[in-house]
Amino acid sequence: MTKRTQPEESTNNPSESLGLHLVPAQHDMLVHTAADRRLAVEHWLLAGLDGPKRDRARMEWQEFKVAMMPLGVRFCAVRIPEALVHRVVRTNDARMAAEYLGAALDDSPVIHDPRHRRYYALAPASMPERWRNATSPWRLLGVDFLGREAMMGIPRVDCVTLNPRAWATYWAVPMSSAGVLCEPTTIAKLIAAAKRSPVRPETGA
């Protein structure tokens, strides 16, 4: 006769009943995770450069916090006038604009150049060629593609806030993980929303 085993006593904690043991989150663990992610993003950005250019980019990041890099290999940039972003956000506040862009573009990377009043959404390198005909009306709004043969200042990965004194380029929306770029469709929706937004008479934006 087969002996029947008795069921184990249940507990009030469903995790324990499944044999799972929760480990309390530690502050240090979160810091290390963020640091590792930033390091991976840095390596990804540098991977498209040859040795001398990679060394120069590292030096420029160290000294100037912005490094000039060629576009069109690993990613391109969609240049969007600051006024157009402020039009759809309905505020000139850079922090609120960054929050809006993060939500609209699914937390994909956007660089802000406050000195020249432009935002740059980083997108797949193939976007300028594949979307050329569909997005030709964007140029009437001041939106343009930067791809092959273009150079762009890429901020150091830890430059993620606006410095009102330096007015330097920074990540309005940081790259969340290595190689994560804006989806062209989300950029198209953002431009469409800005186009529909009314011009504010007090600023002309």
Side-chain angles (χ1 to χ4, degrees), residues 80 100-110 121 173 181-183 185-188 190:
I80 308 171
Y100 177 88
L101 290 170
L105 300 175
D106 297 330
D107 287 326
S108 298
V110 180
V173 184
L181 298 169
C182 296
E183 289 289 340
T185 52
T186 61
I187 297 176
L190 172 67

Side-chain angles (χ1 to χ4, degrees), residues 150-169:
M151 299 284 291
M152 178 179 165
I154 304 297
R156 205 168 65 188
V157 293
D158 60 345
C159 296
V160 295
T161 55
L162 172 64
N163 184 335
R165 292 185 177 181
W167 221 241
T169 302

